[in-house]
Amino acid sequence: MRGTLSESYSVLVVEDDSNHQMLIKRSLAKRGDLFPIVEMASDPTDAQRLIQQMDFDCFLVDNVLPTGSGLELITTLQTQGISGPFVLMTSAGTEELVVQAYRNKVSDYLTKDVGFWQDLPSILEQVIEAAQLERANESRVRELERTNEGLDAVNTEVQVQFNMHS
């Protein structure tokens, strides 16, 4: 391993602009070892179909889609139990959209500016690894809670036995 949590990642890109699809593919191909699987969906229906076929480590979603917004798609996927991380991208964002995105637990919000394409691989790597660490920490917390429950039960039993013999 290279110091990352996983050897490689799969990404679902939901983008209807074919030029942007090409630029994203080209950007992630520069780190093909890290992103060997990059699937493209041009609309929410196509995205849903791909999600049923395979698991993805990250979802890169354009906010302006032919049949709604990317934020709506992310909310729908979250409601269906799909866990991100989700990265929302837009050509022209507003402060209100940024606030809505973070309220909807979007991991990152990106504006498709000049440097976007160059920075995309490292941004996605950071977002995915942060999500993996968060899931690992949540798992450890649940394990500790179960251990504490078990210790509480043992402690209660010891106290009952002690009180019976006192």
Side-chain angles (χ1 to χ4, degrees), residues 10-12 37-39 47 50-51 54-59 83-84:
S10 59
V11 179
L12 174 61
I37 300 171
V38 178
E39 293 291 331
L50 287 166
I51 289 168
M54 66 182 294
D55 293 327
F56 292 95
D57 295 304
C58 184
F59 302 88
S83 60

Side-chain angles (χ1 to χ4, degrees), residues 12-14 41 43-52 54 56 58-61 65 69-87 104:
L12 174 61
V13 179
V14 186
D43 60 49
T45 303
D46 198 23
Q48 292 275 10
R49 181 184 56 76
L50 287 166
I51 289 168
Q52 290 175 358
M54 66 182 294
F56 292 95
C58 184
F59 302 88
L60 180 62
V61 182
L65 297 170
S69 77
L71 199 52
E72 290 168 348
L73 173 61
I74 290 169
T75 302
T76 298
L77 294 174
Q78 289 169 332
T79 303
Q80 294 172 351
I82 306 294
S83 60
F86 296 98
V87 176
N104 286 315

